[in-house]
Amino acid sequence: MSGAFEALRGELREAAAVFADGPRALEGILLGLVDDVDRAVREPLEIFPVCHHSPASAIAMARRLREKQPKVVYLELCEDMAPLLTELRNCRLPVAVQAFATEVDGFPAEWAPLSVVAPITEASAEYQAIAYALDTPGVELVLVDRSADHVFQWDRPETPDTPPEDEEAALHGDAIGVEIGDLRPRFAELEEHLLRHGKVRHWSEWWHQYVELPLGDSDHDTYRQVMFLIGSLFRRLAPGDTRRVRVDEDRERYMWTRMREHLAASGADPAECLYICGAFHAASRVAEFGVGGTAGFAISPRTASSWQYGLIPSSHAAIEAQFGLAAGSVSIAATEWAKNLKRTKVKPFQLTNQTGAKKRKPPAELPDPVAALVASDHLSGFLQRPPTLDTLDQAELLRWSVDVVRAARRNGYLASTADAIAVFETSILLAGMRDRAKPTPYDFQDAAVTCIEKDVVPGRRDVRRIVEIMMGGDRIGQVGYDALPPLARDVHDRLAPLNLKLQQRGVQRALLDIASRPELGRCSDVLWMLRYLMPHGAARPIMGERRLGERPIQESWDLALGTHQRSLIELGYEGVSIEQVLEQRLRKAAYHPQATAAKALEAVEDATLYLRGARLADELGTRALEVLSTERTVDGAPEVLHRVRRLLAHYRTSEPVLPAWIEAFVKTGYAHYCTLLPTAFTDEDATVDQVAAMLGFLFSMETLALSLGCDRTQLELAIAGSHPAEPSKVALLWAAQVQLGILSRAELRARCADLLANPLVLPAYPRYLSGFVHALEPAPGLADFVVEAVSNAFAQLPDPVLLPWLPTLITTLRERGAELVPLLIREAGRLFPGRLAALDEWVPPWRAEQAAPKSEPRRGGTGGVALLAAHPATTDAVANLLGCEGGWETAKPGVALLGRFPGTASALEVMLAGS
C-alpha cells in the first residue's frame, strides 16, 4: 500500500520544481497532501469522508453500505443524541436533532439557554447511514463526536449580529450548528482564488461545479481519495494558530478515543466497521489517529447542566442560514439527489414508515458483502483526466425556461414566451462564457434574473427566489405527533375540541363559543398560556381578553402552532405541562436578581390570571413585599400603583378576606413611600409621574393602611419635609397639601393667580399645569380645579408660551389617557355649557364666585333659628336621627331643639353659607 502513490509523488515533485522555482516550499505541501491520502487509505478502520448535504456523498454512501454491509457504523455526531435517532421515522424531513439546556451549571448564566442542533435531510450521507443501521438487524450505530455539553466547553457561543429575517431561515434560532463534513476553505484568500478562477459567484456553486458533478458517477475508491485530498488541502492551507483548528483537532482526538474504547469493549473487527466523518477530519494528523494511535487524550467530564433532547423542524433556508451556504443551494442539492438516483440506479436507504417520504417498494435482501479490495492509485487518473463535458439537455432546460416564465407571471411579472426563449438562450450563453457545456441551475438562475426581473419586482418574490422554489423549494420539515415531547402532545390533546389541524403550517382561525360550550373554556385557558409562553403569532387573540375577575363568553383566535412547532417543542424541554413551565417562568422572573417590585407584582397578576391558584400568587406576592422593602428608588412606582389597585379590586370582589401578603404589602408600601417622598421631590432623576404615583399609592391606600396600624402622621411629616424646586413638582406638592387639608382651594387659586400675574414666572407656568395634570392621580377630586387652571392658561398665556407647551400636554394625556382624560372630560362637560349658543353669555363658575359679593357670616343662635324656620324638614330629619320625640309646639319651630343642640344649627349655617 505504501507504494501505491509513488508515481503521483514523483509527478508532484517535478511540478513543484517547475512552478515554484525550487523544490522545498511547494513540494512540502503537495507531497503532504499525498501523505495524508495515503495514511487515510491505509487505515484498517475504513474512513468514509463526506460533505454535509452533498448528493455525491449520499450516493457514494448508499452504494458503499450495500457493498460493504458494516456491522458497526461510527458517525460524527454528538454522542448524547443517539437515543433520538429512532424518532426520525416519525418526522417529515428535514428536521434537526437538538440538545437544549435552560438551567446551566458550569457555564456563565448569560449564555442560557444553550442549544445545539444537527440538521438532517434525506439527501445527506448521514441519513443514509442512520437508515441502514436502524433498519438492518445486527448493525450497531455509535455516535462518537463530543457531547453537547463539550460543544459549549470548547466553543464560546456567539450571537449573530443580524438575525435572519425570513421565518423559515430562523427555525434553528440562535442554536450552535453541528455539521458533518464541514468542507470550506478556512481563509478568505483561498476561497476568493477558487471562485475567481472557477468563474462562479459563491462557494456553493464552486462545490457543485467542480466536486459534485465530477464525483457523481465515480467509483468508491476514487471518491474516497478525492475527498481525502480536498480535506487535506483545506486543512494544510488553513491558518495553524486559529482556535477553530485547535478545537477540530480535539474533536478528532475525542472521536478516535471513543472508537478505540468501543472496539476494546465490544471486540468488533475494525474491518467490519465504517467511520463516517467530514473530509476535513478524515485527513487528520493528530497522534490519536487510527486504531493504532496513542491513547493519551483525556476527555473532560461534563458539567452539571441539565440537558434535554428532542427533534425540531428544520428547513433548507434554516440550514443555509446557519452554515453560511448560498440561498437555494440545499434545494438544488435535493434536486440533484433525485436526478442522481434515477441516473445511477442506486437504491437509497430509508427508514421504515418514514413520514412524508415517497412510498418505495420494500428493499430486497442485501447481497453478500464485497470482499475488501487492495486500494490502488485512482487519484492520479482523476487528476489527469480532462473534465467530462456534459452534453446539453435541451428538454430539461426548455422545461425550466417555460416553468420560470409561468411562475413569474403568477407573481405579477409581465413575462411572455419571448422571455422563455431569452432565458433559454442566455443560459447557454452564460454557460459558454464560464467554460461549461451544460448550464447549471446557477447559470439558469442568473439568466432568468437578467431576462425577466429587469429593474422592478412587482410582487413579494423576486426572480431569484422564484427559481429557488421551482428547483425544489424550501422544504420545511415537521416533527410527528409520536416524536413530540409530552408537553407538546398534551397541548395537542387539550386543543382537540377545536377540531383544527394544529400540526399544519399557516394560520388557522379558532372560534370559541364558551357560553354554549363550556368545555371550550379549558381550551381558552391553554391558548392564553400559549400566548404568554410562545412567540408572537403562535396564538393571537382576535376577539376576547383576559382580565382579573372576568370570565370569557366568546373568543376568536388565530393559531399557527405548526409554523412555530420548534418553540412548542422547546417548551417541552422545560417541563411536562404548560402549567409547570409557566410556573417556572413566573418564579424565575420574580426571583431574578434584578427583579423589581413591579416585576414581582406582574408575576402575581399573571399567576392569578392564567393559573388561578392562590398558592403561587401568595408566594410571589411575598416575594414582591421583600423586593419592595429593599428598593431605594421610585422608578417602578407607577406600575406598582396600577398593579396593586387591580389586585385589590380583584380580591375585594372575589375573596372573603384580603390575602395576608397584600395587607402587608400595603402597610409596608405606605411606610416605604412616606420615607422616600421628601427625597423624590428634590431628586432630579425622579420624574413627576413617579412622584405622583407615590402620592397616589399613599392617598388611595390610606384607609386600608390606617386600618392595618399605620399612622397618618407619617404622611403629614413627609409632606411637610418636602421642598421641591421644579415647578411641576411644586404644583404636585400643592395638590397633596389640598388633599390633606393643609391648603385650601382658595389659597391654591390665589397662588395660581399670583403665578399668572408674575411676568418672570409666566414662561414656567405650563410646567405648573403639567404638575396639576399629574396630580389627578393622587387627587382625582381636583379635576374641576385642573379644568379651571387649564382654561385660565388658554385664556391668559401668550402664544409664544402656550404653543410650545401643547405637545407636552398632549404627550402627558396620551401616556395617562386611560386614567386622566375621562376625569377631565367629565368635569369639563359639567362646567362648560352644553350648547354653542349659550357659550357667548357663559361665565365660568370660578369667576362668578369671585364676582359675587361676600356677606359676613352671621354668628349666634338668631341666624340659626331663622335658617331652621325656613327649612323645617332638615330639623325634623335631624330630630328623627337623634331619637327626639314630639312635634312643633311654638310659633318658632325647632327652638326647643336648638336650645338643646345649638352646635348643630351653627354647623349647618356655615356649611350652607360656604356652598
Side-chain angles (χ1 to χ4, degrees):
M1 178 70 73
S2 61
F5 297 96
E6 287 303 321
L8 180 59
R9 288 190 176 92
E11 295 178 3
L12 293 177
R13 288 192 186 93
E14 296 175 2
V18 172
F19 291 103
D21 196 20
R24 306 311 305 171
L26 184 59
E27 180 182 2
I29 297 177
L30 296 179
L31 296 184
L33 299 179
V34 180
D35 293 339
D36 292 341
V37 175
D38 190 15
R39 183 188 187 194
V41 168
R42 289 188 291 107
E43 172 57 36
L45 174 56
E46 181 178 339
I47 304 173
F48 194 96
V50 299
C51 177
H52 197 42
H53 308 303
S54 166
S57 294
I59 289 291
M61 173 61 69
R63 182 189 295 117
R64 183 54 180 165
L65 290 173
R66 292 191 178 277
E67 293 175 352
K68 182 180 179 66
Q69 299 178 30
K71 299 299 182 183
V72 179
V73 176
Y74 297 113
L75 184 61
E76 178 195 337
L77 193 62
C78 294
E79 58 184 1
D80 48 345
M81 294 182 176
L84 290 175
L85 299 183
T86 56
E87 295 293 340
L88 288 175
R89 68 179 78 251
N90 297 319
C91 305
R92 184 175 68 237
L93 301 180
V95 296
V97 187
Q98 183 183 40
F100 193 87
T102 54
E103 298 181 0
V104 297
D105 185 356
F107 300 108
E110 60 270 16
W111 288 11
L114 307 180
S115 180
V116 177
V117 297
I120 297 176
T121 63
E122 189 177 2
S124 58
E126 61 269 23
Y127 174 75
Q128 294 298 307
I130 292 171
Y132 163 78
L134 295 183
D135 282 354
T136 304
V139 177
E140 184 178 5
L141 178 64
V142 182
L143 306 187
V144 295
D145 200 0
R146 54 184 175 164
S147 66
D149 196 89
H150 287 93
V151 170
F152 286 92
Q153 289 186 33
W154 297 354
D155 294 340
R156 180 183 182 87
E158 297 180 1
T159 303
D161 296 332
T162 55
E165 299 179 359
D166 189 11
E167 185 177 271
E168 281 74 25
L171 281 177
H172 294 173
D174 55 357
I176 289 183
V178 177
E179 182 177 8
I180 298 177
D182 179 16
L183 277 183
R184 188 162 184 166
R186 292 297 176 86
F187 61 100
E189 290 80 1
L190 175 58
E191 185 170 346
E192 181 183 356
H193 176 82
L194 294 175
L195 298 184
R196 183 175 66 255
H197 289 276
K199 298 180 180 179
V200 293
R201 294 169 301 161
H202 46 70
W203 171 251
S204 299
E205 186 177 0
W206 185 92
W207 181 267
H208 174 85
Q209 180 67 28
Y210 294 100
V211 180
E212 283 293 328
L213 296 181
L215 289 181
D217 297 321
S218 62
D219 59 86
H220 173 61
D221 287 336
T222 302
Y223 167 84
R224 288 183 70 211
Q225 293 174 21
V226 171
M227 293 293 284
F228 286 145
L229 180 67
I230 295 174
S232 177
L233 174 66
F234 292 164
R235 190 184 191 96
R236 286 184 175 272
L237 294 183
D241 58 346
T242 62
R243 185 175 184 274
R244 183 176 179 182
V245 172
R246 294 196 299 271
V247 171
D248 284 333
E249 290 178 348
D250 284 342
R251 290 179 63 188
E252 292 154 8
R253 296 184 179 96
Y254 192 106
M255 290 187 286
W256 280 109
T257 300
R258 289 301 193 204
M259 283 186 283
R260 282 196 299 271
E261 290 175 354
H262 181 269
L263 290 173
S266 63
D269 184 1
E272 295 180 343
C273 302
L274 186 67
Y275 170 37
I276 303 169
C277 66
F280 189 89
H281 299 298
S284 174
R285 300 190 302 275
V286 298
E288 290 81 1
F289 179 88
V291 294
T294 62
F297 183 70
I299 298 177
S300 61
R302 301 182 189 179
T303 67
S305 300
S306 177
W307 289 91
Q308 303 290 332
Y309 302 90
L311 297 168
I312 62 172
S314 184
S315 68
H316 291 172
I319 297 171
E320 292 159 358
Q322 188 164 38
F323 299 108
L325 305 176
S329 58
V330 179
S331 298
I332 292 175
T335 303
E336 289 294 321
W337 159 255
K339 291 171 58 176
N340 288 348
L341 290 178
K342 294 180 180 179
R343 187 182 71 253
T344 61
K345 306 300 180 183
V346 173
K347 295 181 180 179
F349 290 93
Q350 178 179 292
L351 288 170
T352 305
N353 300 324
Q354 177 71 66
T355 302
K358 294 181 179 179
K359 300 299 181 182
R360 296 193 177 103
K361 296 180 180 180
E365 294 291 335
L366 293 175
D368 294 335
V370 176
L373 301 176
V374 177
S376 57
D377 180 9
H378 292 252
L379 193 56
S380 299
F382 180 86
L383 296 176
Q384 295 174 358
R385 185 173 65 244
T388 302
L389 297 179
D390 198 356
T391 57
L392 173 63
D393 188 346
Q394 292 190 356
E396 180 186 57
L397 183 58
L398 184 60
R399 185 177 69 254
W400 287 356
S401 303
V402 173
D403 289 346
V404 73
V405 168
R406 183 184 296 114
R409 294 181 65 177
R410 285 197 301 266
N411 284 272
Y413 290 89
L414 299 177
S416 63
T417 304
D419 293 305
I421 298 173
V423 172
F424 181 88
E425 298 294 343
T426 307
S427 300
I428 299 175
L429 176 63
L430 288 177
M433 294 173 60
R434 296 165 178 172
D435 297 332
R436 303 168 187 166
K438 176 183 178 181
T440 66
Y442 298 99
D443 298 326
F444 172 75
Q445 189 178 56
D446 292 341
V449 172
T450 303
C451 299
I452 298 177
E453 187 169 289
K454 301 178 178 66
D455 60 344
V456 64
V457 179
R460 66 186 183 93
R461 292 192 180 105
D462 58 10
V463 174
R464 190 173 302 280
R465 177 60 177 157
I466 292 173
V467 174
E468 293 173 5
I469 296 174
M470 190 189 71
M471 287 291 178
D474 182 17
R475 297 180 187 175
I476 301 173
Q478 184 185 72
V479 180
Y481 175 85
D482 294 330
L484 292 173
L487 180 145
R489 293 200 300 269
D490 179 62
V491 168
H492 283 272
D493 294 341
R494 294 166 68 177
L495 295 180
L498 299 179
N499 296 321
L500 297 177
K501 298 179 180 178
L502 297 177
Q503 287 195 303
Q504 179 178 316
R505 293 185 61 82
V507 179
Q508 302 179 73
R509 179 64 57 86
L511 303 176
L512 286 73
D513 188 0
I514 303 174
S516 60
R517 295 182 59 190
E519 67 275 9
L520 294 181
R522 299 178 181 177
C523 296
S524 173
D525 295 339
V526 174
L527 293 176
W528 283 108
M529 285 187 281
L530 290 177
R531 178 180 179 270
Y532 181 89
L533 294 171
M534 295 187 66
H536 176 74
R540 184 167 62 93
I542 304 301
M543 180 185 69
E545 58 182 350
R546 178 154 290 200
R547 292 182 178 179
L548 290 174
E550 295 183 1
R551 291 288 181 176
I553 299 176
Q554 288 184 334
E555 291 180 352
S556 176
W557 291 80
D558 275 352
L559 301 180
L561 297 184
T563 304
H564 295 83
Q565 191 183 48
R566 168 182 169 266
S567 299
L568 181 61
I569 291 172
E570 289 184 347
L571 286 182
Y573 301 153
E574 301 182 43
V576 295
S577 67
I578 52 176
E579 287 84 0
Q580 181 186 5
V581 175
L582 180 57
E583 184 173 336
Q584 292 174 354
R585 294 272 185 95
L586 294 176
R587 279 201 178 94
K588 183 178 180 180
Y591 286 90
H592 192 275
Q594 303 300 324
T596 61
K599 287 296 182 183
L601 287 177
E602 181 182 4
V604 175
E605 189 173 349
D606 291 337
T608 307
L609 273 177
Y610 302 121
L611 297 179
R612 295 179 178 175
R615 175 187 55 82
L616 180 61
D618 291 346
E619 177 188 340
L620 299 179
T622 304
R623 171 61 181 172
L625 175 61
E626 297 173 357
V627 176
L628 178 67
S629 61
T630 60
E631 287 185 344
R632 293 296 176 264
T633 65
V634 296
D635 296 343
E639 189 175 356
V640 168
L641 172 62
H642 297 155
R643 294 193 181 279
V644 168
R645 280 178 175 174
R646 284 199 296 267
L647 289 169
L648 271 174
H650 168 68
Y651 288 132
R652 282 170 172 164
T653 57
S654 61
E655 301 291 339
V657 295
L658 291 178
W661 75 264
I662 200 166
E663 292 184 347
F665 190 92
V666 171
K667 184 177 180 180
T668 303
Y670 189 86
H672 179 72
Y673 285 134
C674 282
T675 304
L676 296 180
L677 190 60
T679 304
F681 265 115
T682 57
D683 188 2
E684 295 181 356
D685 295 331
T687 64
V688 63
D689 191 31
Q690 294 168 354
V691 179
M694 295 173 63
L695 291 172
F697 185 96
L698 294 172
F699 287 132
S700 61
M701 306 292 166
E702 184 178 18
T703 303
L704 179 58
L706 296 180
S707 67
L708 295 174
C710 294
D711 190 354
R712 196 167 193 259
T713 309
Q714 290 180 286
L715 179 58
E716 295 175 350
L717 292 175
I719 295 295
S722 300
H723 305 286
E726 204 274 328
S728 59
K729 292 183 180 180
V730 171
L732 195 59
L733 178 63
W734 291 349
Q737 291 173 344
V738 172
Q739 186 74 7
L740 283 175
I742 302 174
L743 188 69
S744 67
R745 288 200 174 201
E747 293 172 332
L748 180 61
R749 186 177 289 112
R751 291 185 182 183
C752 292
D754 292 341
L755 293 176
L756 284 173
N758 189 343
L760 298 177
V761 183
L762 204 61
Y765 187 73
R767 296 165 65 185
Y768 287 92
L769 290 181
S770 297
F772 286 131
V773 172
H774 282 89
L776 292 177
E777 180 72 74
L782 289 177
D784 58 338
F785 177 80
V786 174
V787 172
E788 173 187 342
V790 173
S791 300
N792 289 334
F794 276 92
Q796 301 180 37
L797 287 178
D799 289 346
V801 176
L802 182 63
L803 294 180
W805 171 66
L806 290 180
T808 303
L809 175 63
I810 295 173
T811 303
T812 303
L813 294 179
R814 177 179 296 178
E815 292 176 352
R816 310 296 303 278
E819 299 88 0
L820 305 184
V821 172
L823 287 174
L824 293 176
I825 293 178
R826 185 167 57 250
E827 191 62 31
R830 188 181 67 84
L831 296 176
F832 286 89
R835 296 179 180 273
L836 184 61
L839 187 61
D840 294 335
E841 300 178 356
W842 176 73
V843 177
W846 51 88
R847 290 189 179 179
E849 292 177 4
Q850 295 172 1
K854 296 182 179 180
S855 58
E856 290 294 329
R858 289 173 294 177
R859 304 287 181 182
T862 305
V865 170
L867 177 65
L868 292 176
H871 304 282
T874 303
T875 305
D876 292 338
V878 174
N880 292 332
L881 181 65
L882 297 176
C884 297
E885 299 179 355
W888 299 95
E889 297 178 357
T890 63
K892 296 181 179 180
V895 173
L897 183 63
L898 291 176
R900 294 175 59 187
F901 304 101
T904 303
S906 300
L908 285 173
E909 181 182 9
V910 173
M911 181 181 67
L912 293 176
S915 62

